Amino acid sequence: MTVAENIKPIASLVPAVRTANANGSAVDTMGFDNVEVVVSAGDIDTTDADETYAVKVQEGALSTLSDAADISGASVTITADNQLKTIRIVGLGTGSRKRYMRAVLTVGGTTPSIPLAAIFNLGQAHSNPANTPDAGA
């Protein structure tokens, strides 16, 4: 098995420039043991020096995430241009974590603007291949 066949990437917050708080799409973690959330930010607006940017992960038992709750310790702050941050969550499928998760962006300040994406890399699949690559060499 290759690395690509052992992980399954899913976008929760698709790449976009964001100027307001945003809830990502729900990610179904069933069939995986852990996840690493990759948060990728571009050139952030710090014009007024009061802008803030944070991404956290929430979980819930319902696919709509109407029962979403923050996962303690699963958050990062973006403080500079072109940052790549990761959040690791283990214990999926053990009863200690809920099935559905999403990334949540919170912005603050006078003129917040951030190009951002949050990708969930689901790992340690219960059955492989977890993903079929779109291309290979």
Side-chain angles (χ1 to χ4, degrees):
M1 287 284 153
T2 65
V3 170
E5 293 172 321
N6 286 310
I7 63 169
K8 183 176 182 180
I10 300 174
S12 179
L13 286 168
V14 297
V17 175
R18 301 174 193 284
T19 58
N21 296 341
N23 288 334
S25 300
V27 174
D28 187 349
T29 65
M30 180 179 260
F32 294 89
D33 288 339
N34 61 55
V35 63
E36 181 176 72
V37 182
V38 179
V39 178
S40 177
D43 293 335
I44 64 175
D45 183 341
T46 55
T47 303
D48 295 301
D50 67 348
E51 290 82 9
T52 59
Y53 308 96
V55 176
K56 63 184 175 183
V57 178
Q58 293 182 327
E59 66 180 349
L62 304 174
S63 63
T64 60
L65 284 169
S66 58
D67 62 337
D70 297 350
I71 298 175
S72 179
S75 63
V76 293
T77 302
I78 306 297
T79 57
D81 291 343
N82 305 315
Q83 286 191 316
L84 187 69
K85 302 265 183 139
T86 59
I87 304 168
R88 184 177 58 156
I89 302 165
V90 296
L92 304 180
T94 64
S96 62
R97 298 263 65 99
K98 302 286 195 276
R99 177 175 173 178
Y100 299 95
M101 295 184 181
R102 70 177 171 200
V104 176
L105 170 67
T106 304
V107 301
T110 307
T111 60
S113 179
I114 183 170
L116 181 127
I119 308 299
F120 280 62
N121 287 320
L122 299 167
Q124 292 185 311
H126 298 176
S127 64
N128 283 321
N131 182 44
T132 303
D134 295 318

